[in-house]
Amino acid sequence: MRIVVFTVTILLFSASVSAQIYKWVDETGKIHYTDQPPPPHVNTKEQQLNINTAPAAGSHPGNPSNALSDEREEFEKRRKQRQENEAKDQAQAEINKKKCTEAQTQLRMYADSPRLTIPDGAGGIVYVDDDLRQRRIDDANKAIATFCR
């Protein structure tokens, strides 16, 4: 008995899933949507609508669960990329801060020291004249403008 009831129930549900929908306009201009064809006395144009019901979960390749997992993967990818960019930006900010401090130190050294010597690269020292001092001050000011923001 249970099998008969179950079979009848399944047949009723399958019949409602494949039902057609009709759209028609009556004499007064009112639009009707029905699952049965319009009455024969209606002389207006009838239109049969093909309305598909939602597919069962997992039966369609583009089902919402696949789309959701794809969206989650894309979100995770974007989040990881954003974190990497933030880490790079922070590292670059630290480098710029260090270069800014070095440039400010050089500017103070060249501007405040009356008699200054620097290594010549061959193991000796060279006295800084006014022309070299001014070039180094200009270089330090450029570095400050670039790295101290």
Side-chain angles (χ1 to χ4, degrees):
M1 184 66 182
R2 288 183 194 170
I3 295 174
V4 173
V5 172
F6 180 73
T7 306
V8 170
T9 305
I10 294 297
L11 289 174
L12 287 175
F13 282 129
S14 65
S16 66
V17 168
S18 64
Q20 294 292 323
I21 304 293
Y22 296 92
K23 173 184 172 185
W24 55 279
V25 182
D26 64 6
E27 303 83 30
T28 62
K30 186 175 179 182
I31 299 174
H32 296 273
Y33 294 94
T34 63
D35 60 347
Q36 298 177 6
H41 69 277
V42 175
N43 292 332
T44 61
K45 179 174 73 170
E46 98 180 39
Q47 183 179 12
Q48 183 176 355
L49 304 176
N50 292 323
I51 298 176
N52 296 326
T53 59
S59 66
H60 191 269
N63 69 15
S65 63
N66 286 344
L68 185 61
S69 65
D70 291 344
E71 287 179 21
R72 182 177 273 314
E73 287 178 22
E74 288 296 319
F75 172 76
E76 290 297 326
K77 220 184 279 186
R78 286 191 312 268
R79 186 175 62 84
K80 185 178 179 183
Q81 184 66 37
R82 187 177 344 110
Q83 287 175 344
E84 289 173 1
N85 289 343
E86 288 173 358
K88 287 178 186 177
D89 291 345
Q90 187 176 3
Q92 187 62 43
E94 291 294 323
I95 291 170
N96 288 349
K97 185 177 178 182
K98 183 178 177 182
K99 288 182 179 182
C100 174
T101 304
E102 290 173 1
Q104 289 172 338
T105 303
Q106 279 193 351
L107 179 62
R108 270 187 256 121
M109 180 178 69
Y110 284 107
D112 295 343
S113 299
R115 186 159 173 96
L116 190 61
T117 59
I118 57 171
D120 65 357
I125 56 170
V126 175
Y127 289 100
V128 176
D129 61 353
D130 290 337
D131 186 41
L132 180 59
R133 178 188 304 270
Q134 190 58 45
R135 281 187 280 150
R136 296 289 174 102
I137 288 173
D138 291 343
D139 290 343
N141 282 328
K142 287 179 186 175
I144 288 172
T146 303
F147 299 115
C148 299
R149 294 183 184 181

